[in-house]
Structure formats: structure tokens, C-alpha cells
Amino acid sequence: TTECVLLTVMAFDRYVAVCQPLHYATIMHPRLCRQLAAVAWVMGLVQSIVQTPPTLRLPFCPHRRVDDFVCEVPALIRLSCGDTTYNEIQMAVASVFILVVPLSLIL
């Protein structure tokens, strides 16, 4: 989540630098940069707080194991033996939220 929001912020920064170079200092002032970075971190934290408990409550098969050191939510959902519909819907809603919120803050 944090990476997606930071990439959106970086794309906006690049857009302003290329398309409106004379207004760059006015648009991308340090306060806005701090706010956008804070939004990225807060959204990442909220996303992990919301998705982690339901994912860890899933029943996991004993014969499956996690091969990665970093356990991402989609990988853990694939390891589950139970119904993952709720988790998949939650991830879809979160993805839309990730795309809409940074754009609404920038515009």
C-alpha cells in the first residue's frame, strides 16, 4: 500500500516538474511533500491493521508451508484451506481505496 501511494506521489511530482516547471516550487512546497508522505505511511499502516487479523484467522493446511521470508497477504490467502471470499473482497475494496484516496488528495 505504501509503495503504491508513494509511486502515485512520485508520478505527481514528476508531472508537475515536467509540465509546470515554473510553478513547481509553488505547487510542491515542503508542507505538501510532508503531507503526502504522511498519507502514504498512514494508509499503509491502516491497510495492514485492517488486513492482518482476518488473514491470520484463516485455517491453514498443515502440509503447506510459506517459502518466503516476507509473507504478503495474497500469498497467505492462497495457502488457506478455508473460504477466502471475505479476504478477497476486502483486498479488492482496499485496492480501490488505494487508487482513489491519493488521487483525491492531489487533485
Side-chain angles (χ1 to χ4, degrees):
T1 303
T2 305
E3 290 176 20
C4 291
V5 176
L6 283 175
L7 286 173
T8 305
V9 170
M10 290 169 53
F12 176 69
D13 178 63
R14 185 71 172 173
Y15 165 77
V16 172
V18 171
C19 296
Q20 300 180 4
L22 298 177
H23 297 289
Y24 183 81
T26 307
I27 296 171
M28 294 301 292
H29 51 85
R31 182 173 171 235
L32 178 64
C33 293
R34 284 191 300 270
Q35 288 173 340
L36 292 172
V39 165
W41 286 104
V42 167
M43 284 185 63
L45 179 65
V46 167
Q47 186 73 14
S48 64
I49 288 172
V50 168
Q51 284 187 350
T52 301
T55 303
L56 294 179
R57 280 192 220 115
L58 289 172
F60 294 104
C61 300
H63 64 280
R64 294 184 180 174
R65 64 185 183 119
V66 179
D67 293 325
D68 302 324
F69 178 75
V70 179
C71 300
E72 295 182 352
V73 174
L76 288 174
I77 289 174
R78 276 184 263 139
L79 290 174
S80 174
C81 292
D83 184 27
T84 60
T85 306
Y86 172 74
N87 297 80
E88 292 169 2
I89 292 171
Q90 185 182 27
M91 284 183 53
V93 169
S95 299
V96 171
F97 186 69
I98 290 169
L99 294 173
V100 171
V101 170
L103 294 175
S104 66
L105 291 173
I106 290 173
L107 299 175

